DNA sequence: GTATAATCG
DNA sequence: GGCGATTATAC
């Protein structure tokens, strides 16, 4: 073991600096996609539909169960898998392999029973009249998402005693709903704040003029990993005995948060999930599948090469289909390790430039895709396959009626009645020998109801028939898309955008080489800055999620996704000329061109410094408490302190005070 | 905007 | 394979 106290000056300090810089560390705070210190989690519910049925039926965990859809299985729980039950076998085969298995059929709509789905014990015999409903799973998915979000919010506002409030101000973790049973979480801003709380030596200081200088090393020689965490083995040339660097500490904190999230999902809803934690989405997603069920896997930076080298690249997102096949035949291998020895130039001779450089990066673990803070659905589809095919308008219209009812029910859940969101386009897909689709706008003048959807669907059906070969039809589906936000919300957002523009002109007026301008922009009239902060907090402090209770107060409604288009419009025009990359700053939700990332980062850095100085001044004034960076896991003394009068959330009030 | 394909769970 | 959802691409 080396020195226990690396902060003490010693001749060796120079060689023991972290290989990461202040700049890389502080990029974490904004959700920048460029820093190697990023912490991205992927959470995947284990055999989700099967778990939903286990929970709904109140069955013990060791009961073998599969979810049935007609004669197929669409989900198999872990208790059933040792019997050889997979999604690829039929219900009859499953029963034979495991006589005690519960084969629960999905809920269905039934012709002539209105728009209500139900669990029916004879649904598998009624493929002719029933249509599958996945609503029960959507509902559970929403609950789980809310639990995850609430737990993350707890971490965002969980402040230890003492002076570190400013590091959690306005914090939020980006949550991207990737599918009904998967989410990505950008833990970076959260991890950043925890690190700064626990390791004061990382905090921005006036001495750190050179932000490209290495950070001090972590004050430890061995990372205290939780025994429950699965660590991917290090690359061949790396050793566990080597001192950790800050990327390891980032993963340690990230793993703690993910564990807490998973525990919350279990404690509150009794669902198990698996998680992957890594520096980007691709690695996190591969990681979450490594140890299932109910486990989490950490892919440290120093393990990435070893980790990826063992994969077929067809396992990597986007390479599972035709592109992957094409690459396989072009290079005669499916192994990542084989492709690693192909130089970029050679990739370019066989693939278009964009694909070549993307591929070159992705197999080396380089994935800069953002966690898109989006939890709302973008389209809704209701479909039915016909075996045998159907042959008449009359038959088709029976299904259109059910599709309309299905979609309408989901729109109600989504808030059409309250005018929160409504779709602008309706589409009918139709399959005979080939696939066709037609779409039309949903008239903005009408209230969206079941009957309107049905009438529009019939109109589309007539068009399809007029177009050409409509029969025999083997598949029909109706979908709605292009959602728009309700009126009240738009007003509120316009209000914010105005303030956002003011803030923007302030922000972009500063150049890093003009400290005076930067400083003066920190000190506009207090009142105005407060307005801006409230605006941002009000609109973006909480990631949106679909099933938050509707609060009637206009300003308290759940938020839409930050619209990338309008976000782009808030940025300077030169940003949008071509494919200029930009990202949404995690701290202020402004759209920032990547070229201006550093400048914007500097602006936040300066602002952080100012905040911290103010806080320190306040602490001195108030006889500051001991500034231990004592561990701050959930529930350790963060509730209202006696001195504060026991308000519900004293931290919030405190934070605001710090800015006034 | 409209239509279709590709990819994923 | 059935049912859904998202994104990219071409026009």
């Amino acid at each position: 073991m080396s020195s226990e106290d690396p902060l003490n000056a010693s001749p060796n300090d120079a060689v023991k600096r972290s290989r990461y810089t202040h700049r890389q560390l502080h990029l974490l705070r904004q959700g920048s996609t460029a820093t190697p210190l990023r912490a991205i989690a992927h959470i995947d519910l284990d055999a989700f539909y099967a778990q939903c049925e286990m929970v709904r039926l109140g069955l013990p965990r060791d009961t073998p169960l599969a979810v049935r859809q007609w004669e197929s299985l669409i989900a198999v729980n872990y208790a059933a898998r040792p019997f050889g039950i997979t999604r690829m076998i039929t219900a009859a085969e499953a029963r034979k392999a495991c006589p005690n298995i519960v084969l629960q059929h999905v809920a269905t709509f039934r012709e002539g029973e209105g728009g209500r789905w139900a669990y029916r014990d004879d649904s598998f015999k009624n493929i002719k009249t029933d249509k599958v409903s996945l609503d029960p799973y959507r509902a559970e998915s929403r609950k789980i998402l809310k639990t995850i979000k609430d737990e993350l919010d707890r971490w965002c506002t969980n402040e230890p005693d003492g002076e570190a409030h400013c590091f959690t101000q306005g914090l939020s973790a980006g949550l991207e709903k990737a599918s009904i049973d998967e989410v990505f979480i950008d833990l970076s801003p959260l991890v950043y704040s925890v690190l700064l709380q626990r390791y004061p030596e990382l905090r921005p200081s006036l001495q750190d003029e050179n932000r490209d200088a290495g950070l001090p090393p972590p004050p430890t020689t061995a990372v205290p990993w939780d025994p429950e965490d699965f660590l991917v083995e290090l690359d061949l040339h790396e050793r566990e005995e080597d001192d950790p660097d800050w990327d390891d500490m980032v993963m340690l904190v990230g793993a703690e948060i993910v564990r807490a999230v998973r525990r919350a999902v279990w404690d509150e809803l009794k669902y198990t999930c698996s998680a992957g934690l890594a520096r980007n989405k691709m690695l996190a997603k591969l990681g979450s599948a490594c140890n299932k069920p109910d486990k989490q896997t950490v892919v440290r930076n120093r393990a990435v090469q070893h980790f990826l080298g063992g994969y077929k690249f067809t396992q990597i997102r986007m390479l599972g289909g035709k592109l992957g096949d094409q690459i396989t035949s072009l290079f005669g291998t499916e192994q990542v390790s084989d492709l690693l020895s192909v130089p970029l130039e050679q990739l370019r001779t066989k693939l278009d430039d964009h694909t070549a450089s993307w591929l070159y990066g992705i197999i080396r673990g380089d994935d800069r895709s953002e966690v898109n803070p989006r939890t709302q659905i973008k389209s809704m589809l209701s479909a039915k396959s016909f075996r045998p095919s159907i042959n008449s308008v009359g038959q088709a219209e029976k299904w259109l009626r059910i599709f309309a009812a299905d979609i309408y029910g989901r729109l109600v859940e989504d808030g059409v009645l309250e005018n929160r969101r409504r779709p602008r386009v309706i589409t009918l897909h139709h399959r005979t020998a080939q696939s066709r689709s037609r779409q039309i706008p949903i008239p903005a003048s009408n209230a969206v109801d079941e009957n309107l959807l049905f009438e529009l669907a019939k109109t589309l059906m007539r068009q399809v028939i007029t177009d050409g070969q409509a029969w025999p039809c083997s598949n029909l589906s109706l979908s709605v898309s292009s959602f728009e936000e309700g009126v009240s919300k738009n007003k509120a957002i316009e209000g914010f955008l105005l303030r956002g523009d003011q803030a923007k002109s302030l922000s972009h007026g500063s150049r890093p080489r003009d400290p005076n301008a930067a400083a003066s922009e920190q000190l506009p009239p207090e009142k105005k800055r407060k307005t801006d902060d409230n605006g941002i907090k009000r609109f973006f402090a909480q990631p949106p999620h679909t099933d938050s209770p509707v609060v009637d107060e206009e300003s308290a409604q759940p938020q839409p996704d930050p619209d990338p288009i309008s976000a782009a419009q808030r940025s300077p025009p030169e940003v949008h000329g071509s494919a200029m990359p930009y990202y949404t700053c995690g701290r202020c939700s402004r759209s920032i061109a990547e070229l201006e990332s550093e400048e914007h980062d500097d602006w936040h850095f300066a602002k952080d410094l100012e905040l911290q100085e103010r806080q320190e001044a306040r602490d001195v004034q108030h006889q500051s408490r001991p500034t231990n960076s004592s561990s701050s896991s959930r529930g350790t003394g963060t509730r209202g302190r006696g001195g504060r009068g026991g308000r519900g959330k004293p931290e919030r009030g405190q934070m605001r005070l710090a800015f006034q």
Side-chain angles (χ1 to χ4, degrees), chain A residues 153-448:
Chain A
D153 282 350
R154 247 196 298 286
W155 278 82
C156 287
T157 52
N158 175 22
E159 296 163 30
D161 303 342
E163 84 281 21
H165 302 95
C166 57
F167 300 117
T168 54
Q169 199 277 327
L171 214 60
S172 71
L175 236 184
E176 175 178 338
K177 178 171 180 164
S179 80
I180 196 167
D181 66 345
E182 290 173 65
V183 288
F184 286 104
I185 308 172
D186 190 344
L187 296 168
S188 304
L190 201 38
V191 168
Y192 173 89
S193 98
V194 173
L195 283 179
L196 263 62
Q197 285 168 19
R198 296 184 186 173
Y199 306 100
E201 67 267 33
L202 293 178
R203 296 177 190 177
S205 91
L206 292 172
Q207 286 82 353
D208 296 324
E209 277 179 17
N210 180 5
R211 303 189 47 211
D212 292 315
L215 294 163
T220 174
T221 55
V223 184
W225 293 104
D226 188 289
E228 305 264 301
D229 290 342
F230 282 74
L231 300 184
V232 171
E233 224 176 275
L234 293 178
D235 296 343
L236 292 181
H237 56 282
E238 300 281 351
R239 300 152 50 86
E240 292 287 354
E241 306 78 57
D242 295 339
D243 284 346
D245 204 337
W246 288 109
D247 55 340
D248 300 304
M249 306 309 283
V250 164
M251 289 295 134
L252 180 70
V253 172
E256 182 184 344
I257 299 170
V258 170
R259 202 156 48 239
V261 167
R262 292 175 51 239
R263 174 172 295 280
V265 171
W266 172 257
D267 286 349
E268 293 173 29
L269 301 168
K270 299 299 181 225
Y271 285 92
T272 67
C273 55
S274 302
L277 183 63
R279 67 162 178 242
N280 61 45
K281 287 169 78 173
M282 186 254 321
L283 293 167
K285 164 123 194 176
L286 287 177
S288 69
C290 285
N291 294 286
K292 282 180 140 289
D294 201 20
K295 296 289 184 298
Q296 61 187 57
T297 303
V298 182
V299 187
R300 292 164 291 178
N301 280 356
R302 290 183 296 147
V304 167
Q305 295 312 317
H306 178 255
F307 179 63
L308 275 180
Y311 275 92
K312 294 180 173 176
F313 55 77
T314 47
Q315 299 299 293
I316 295 176
R317 219 160 53 121
M318 314 302 313
L319 293 176
K322 303 202 169 180
L323 177 56
D325 290 346
Q326 191 190 333
I327 294 171
T328 301
S329 60
L330 282 173
F331 297 93
T333 180
E334 294 196 281
Q335 293 298 324
V336 168
S337 48
D338 293 333
L339 226 45
L340 282 172
S341 57
V342 181
L344 179 56
E345 296 71 38
Q346 199 176 327
L347 291 183
R348 275 207 248 266
T349 64
K350 303 190 178 180
L351 300 164
D352 68 81
D353 276 18
H354 182 266
T355 308
S357 39
W358 174 81
L359 179 63
Y360 185 84
I362 209 77
I363 60 176
R364 286 165 175 76
D366 186 11
D367 169 23
R368 308 232 171 144
S369 57
E370 292 182 52
V371 173
N372 191 346
R374 177 183 55 71
T375 51
Q376 301 221 50
I377 209 83
K378 287 184 165 175
S379 67
M380 294 176 187
L381 176 144
S382 188
K384 174 80 179 174
S385 294
F386 306 114
R387 298 179 351 207
S389 298
I390 58 169
N391 287 288
S392 74
V393 192
Q395 281 178 301
E397 286 186 353
K398 283 182 187 167
W399 292 104
L400 295 184
R401 180 100 248 172
I402 291 181
F403 295 163
D406 177 9
I407 290 175
Y408 178 66
R410 287 150 66 183
L411 287 172
V412 169
E413 290 276 298
D414 201 45
V416 258
L417 295 181
E418 300 88 345
N419 226 5
R420 253 188 337 216
R421 266 160 60 90
R422 83 177 251 155
R424 280 184 304 208
V425 174
I426 184 167
T427 308
L428 183 74
H429 293 256
H430 172 278
R431 193 161 79 215
T432 54
Q434 47 179 341
S435 213
R436 298 232 168 278
S437 76
R438 302 290 317 227
Q439 62 177 291
I440 48 175
I442 297 172
S445 47
N446 303 51
V448 177

Side-chain angles (χ1 to χ4, degrees), chain A residues 12 71 104 109 134 189 203 299 302 358 458-459 555:
Chain A
N12 287 334
E71 293 310 315
Q104 174 60 53
F109 296 100
L134 300 181
R203 296 177 190 177
V299 187
R302 290 183 296 147
W358 174 81
K458 282 194 292 187
T459 301
S555 63

